[in-house]
Amino acid sequence: WKKTACIICALNCGLEVQTEGRRIIRIRADKAHPVSQGYLCEKAQRMDNYQNGADRLSSPMRRKADGTYEPIDWDTAIREVSTKLQAVAKAHGGESILYYGGGSQGNHLGATYADNTIKALGIKYRSNALAQEKTGEAWVQGRMIGSGVHCDFEHAEVAVFLGKNPWQSHGFARSRVILKEIQKDPNRTLIVIDPCKTATAEMADYHLAVKPGTDAWCLSAMIAVIVQEGLVASDWLAEHATGLAPVLDTFKAIDVARYANLCGVDEALIRQVSRRIASAKSVSMLEDLGVQMNIHSTLNSYLNRLVWLLTGHYGRQGTNNAFVPLMSLSSTARDNANRKSNDKVGAPKDARPAQWKKSPVTGFKVVMGLIPCNVIPEEILTNHPKRFRAMFIESANPVHSLADSQKMREAMRALDFSVVIDVAMSETAHQADYVLPASSSFEKAEATFFNLELPNNAFHLRQPLFSAKEGTLPEAEIHARLVESITDMGGPDYGVLKAVAKLGLLPFALAFAWQSGRNKRIAKFPSIALYRTLGVDLPKTMSAAASLWGVAQMYVRQQRKAANAAGFGGNPVFAGNRLFKAILGQPSGVVFAKTDYADSWTMVKRAEHKIELWMPEFLPEIQSLDAGLPPIDPAYPFFLSAGERRTETSNTSIRDMSWHKKGSVGTLRLCAEDAATVGCASGEWIKLSTRRGSVTVEVEISDAMQQGHVSLPNGLGLDYVQSDGTTVRKGVSLNELTSTQDRDHFFGTPWHKRVPARIEKIQEKEAA
């Protein structure tokens, strides 16, 4: 049995696997993993379908004039890619190159090397999947708290899920175990706010089945109940927060009964749930894509936080708390750097002018260092002098995963140059000028930086299960070669460090500090230097883990208290070295941070460590709710949720669907009443149309759906080339149906959970 991890969702549960040749033949949970602790869901059984996909690449590919691809050798690929990227940067500046991606759900180690390539080319703009899901939430959280926050459902008296179905999509460790524990405990309460009767909603004590896209009215009504019935934790807020008065004034005026009617939830139920939250000793509340990829996306994130902050549920066991990451993927510090102010700390918020870095063409705010995914085609398909001229895409498939695939394909072909790093010939790779094949996640040292746990946080460095597939390279090697080609960095830069690395980590640390001070290339491209020097002396096949030495050294300096509590205190050089050795030496993962719940207050990055409750930017949004629901287009009377999590879905790195043996896949779910209106039955095929496109899809009648609401699952619709050369597509490619224009006006978040749609019955021969 060999240690590794699942790569389907952000939890990356620990696995033990048996292999035979180059196949993964048995999978079980790793009981020694400090986070998942022997937990596993059924989706982990699909790892071999990723590892041995027939469309995996084994050579760099170059696009020919006729649109087909030819294999080329690595030296040619690196030389031509670096030359063409430099040509774009020289002609138009590094800001004309957009870097997209940086690792899928459990494969982030390569991103520590991509940062050096980005610096070498002078790239200024980035984006990835977080920018079509989490930027609004991150901005709200950064403004209110200034730190990442995660839920403690294990100890919560009340668990609230907003547009979230953790039975399928998880979102916190040991999800199904904890859900069952809450369900069985008569003293604990499970609340779900979701238009669908999901698996989690069926377990809930209270299910607020809102009409699709009306979460803002429901949340506003809940806050109004808390305010109007005097349920606000006034004493607690006086000690821990600012800006309460304008919040109270705003929500005193809301008509709870009317808002309940607008969102389709009984007023008595809204009042009962609001009182339960206010009276509980501890509440954890988690939002997800159901509200984040919906109308009022950013507003929903703000209202969510008001619910649990007004009732005093932060900074103690069982509530929402700040966590200490090993390395932040989306630090709010990045946003604070973008938000410049010459005013004194503590000045009224509305008196502080906010000047954010913005995307060059559309002028959208850059949050978490990311431009909105939905504006990428507009940033390319224009004559604007600052348009993007090239894309560098890594471990991502934006042609398939971003809104309006048609427009994304057009945008990629309009670029002066594009290159993709990936394990397979994806839909995006088929539009790129060059494709560089990466080794799989199980053929190199790999890890995830989705480390969100508290009070104990852990990091898991995975050792390879197999040697690299012939013709592929780990991302660390690809980026090292690109940086060396672009900058002429090479042997003379590495000589001293390479020799000293053989003497041990302490001499190496001293030498690295000395060399960084005298060699600008070592200082500018530290990960590449580590890979070429320290990486050589790491255990076989683990050289890509060399960048983690730098991560460990930075972490123990930035988070001394949490590191010390986990056993990595004292002199920072020694502590960093001990942490690095522990990361390398513990195949199930290592606890790198230990915190107290009270530490959540020291991580509040606002004045006097007080939470800011009032965000005046949202006042017009809240007031606009009083006008009622937006009109329904009679030509598209249904609302499509494009991207439901189901048992038969994975992320799109699992391109081979042969694991699915029985039953239908990718069906359109709708209620019996709507099926009767359309005149269709389960198993029949219908035509589904949106303003952007049409598909034929199999029907599944489901009591989980409301009238006027239909859903399709995520992760399907991939064009998978089998070993015999035939192409198979299972399910619908959702973003052939979505539009870039259906988006949140704050940060461009797409409204995939409320796509206007039309359903029509078709003849059997049309379906065929």
Side-chain angles (χ1 to χ4, degrees), residues 46 323 364 399 402 463 470 674:
R46 303 165 196 176
F323 60 90
F364 267 86
V399 164
L402 301 190
Q463 300 178 3
E470 186 177 355
D674 286 338

Side-chain angles (χ1 to χ4, degrees), residues 440-501:
S440 83
S441 296
F442 300 122
E443 297 171 353
K444 62 201 173 199
E446 224 1 315
T448 174
F449 291 104
F450 287 142
N451 317 120
L452 311 177
E453 301 305 311
L454 56 102
N456 297 336
N457 209 350
F459 180 80
H460 184 198
L461 174 65
R462 312 191 306 263
Q463 300 178 3
L465 303 176
F466 310 101
S467 60
K469 180 181 173 70
E470 186 177 355
T472 71
L473 294 174
E475 290 88 345
E477 180 66 28
I478 295 172
H479 286 293
R481 294 188 187 190
L482 285 171
V483 169
E484 290 163 349
S485 178
I486 294 165
T487 67
D488 293 326
M489 190 175 182
D493 298 295
Y494 307 139
V496 172
L497 291 176
K498 202 169 182 180
V500 175

Side-chain angles (χ1 to χ4, degrees), residues 260-286:
N261 182 62
L262 287 168
C263 70
V265 180
D266 184 75
E267 179 189 356
L269 179 58
I270 287 178
R271 291 189 181 276
Q272 191 175 5
V273 165
S274 303
R275 293 164 186 160
R276 181 68 182 100
I277 290 171
S279 65
K281 293 181 179 179
S282 60
V283 175
S284 273
M285 187 167 177
L286 180 64

Side-chain angles (χ1 to χ4, degrees), residues 323-326 455-457 551-580 582-583 590-596 599 603:
F323 60 90
V324 175
L326 182 66
N456 297 336
N457 209 350
V551 172
Q553 291 291 336
M554 289 189 292
Y555 167 75
V556 298
R557 287 164 171 78
Q558 295 168 354
Q559 301 289 350
R560 293 198 174 196
K561 181 179 178 182
N564 182 64
F568 304 106
N571 181 285
V573 173
F574 289 104
N577 287 343
R578 287 201 309 276
L579 176 56
F580 180 60
I583 288 171
V590 58
V591 172
F592 64 84
K594 290 188 176 183
T595 57
D596 296 322
D599 292 332
M603 287 184 264

Side-chain angles (χ1 to χ4, degrees), residues 11 150-151 153 161 166 170-175 178-179 286 453:
L11 292 182
H150 198 49
C151 304
F153 289 114
F161 298 105
H170 289 16
F172 56 97
R174 301 171 57 248
S175 301
I178 291 174
L179 285 172
L286 180 64
E453 301 305 311

Side-chain angles (χ1 to χ4, degrees), residues 174-304:
R174 301 171 57 248
S175 301
R176 294 182 179 179
V177 172
I178 291 174
L179 285 172
K180 288 180 179 178
E181 289 175 352
I182 297 172
Q183 182 188 35
K184 292 177 181 178
D185 190 335
N187 297 315
R188 303 175 74 183
T189 300
L190 178 59
I191 300 169
V192 172
I193 304 173
D194 197 304
C196 297
K197 191 194 301 180
T198 63
T200 309
E202 288 184 337
M203 302 173 70
D205 298 284
Y206 301 102
H207 176 204
L208 281 64
V210 294
K211 297 176 183 177
T214 64
D215 304 272
W217 284 271
C218 182
L219 292 169
S220 295
M222 291 171 65
I223 297 167
V225 171
I226 292 166
V227 169
Q228 294 170 16
E229 294 190 5
L231 304 177
V232 174
S234 302
D235 293 343
W236 185 88
L237 291 169
E239 180 181 357
H240 293 301
T242 62
L244 176 60
V247 173
L248 298 179
D249 290 341
T250 300
F251 289 94
K252 281 177 182 176
I254 284 177
D255 184 338
V256 175
R258 181 167 179 266
Y259 277 40
N261 182 62
L262 287 168
C263 70
V265 180
D266 184 75
E267 179 189 356
L269 179 58
I270 287 178
R271 291 189 181 276
Q272 191 175 5
V273 165
S274 303
R275 293 164 186 160
R276 181 68 182 100
I277 290 171
S279 65
K281 293 181 179 179
S282 60
V283 175
S284 273
M285 187 167 177
L286 180 64
E287 67 178 68
D288 207 355
L289 307 190
V291 294
Q292 292 170 342
M293 302 181 91
N294 216 321
I295 61 171
H296 301 117
S297 169
T298 308
L299 174 62
N300 285 332
S301 293
Y302 175 57
L303 297 175
N304 165 26

Side-chain angles (χ1 to χ4, degrees), residues 212-213 293-295 374 403 630-643 668 687-695 708-712 734-743 749-760:
M293 302 181 91
N294 216 321
I295 61 171
N374 259 22
I632 295 175
D633 185 344
Y636 298 95
F638 290 89
F639 290 126
L640 166 68
S641 283
L668 180 79
K687 181 179 180 181
L688 172 70
S689 301
T690 68
R691 295 168 184 148
R692 200 65 188 95
S694 298
V695 295
H709 189 206
V710 299
S711 73
L712 284 170
L734 296 176
N735 286 308
E736 305 289 340
L737 301 172
T738 59
S739 169
T740 59
Q741 297 306 306
D742 294 333
R743 65 194 184 201
T749 312
W751 295 340
H752 287 352
K753 305 301 182 182
R754 194 178 183 274
V755 180
R758 180 175 64 248
I759 299 173
E760 302 166 87

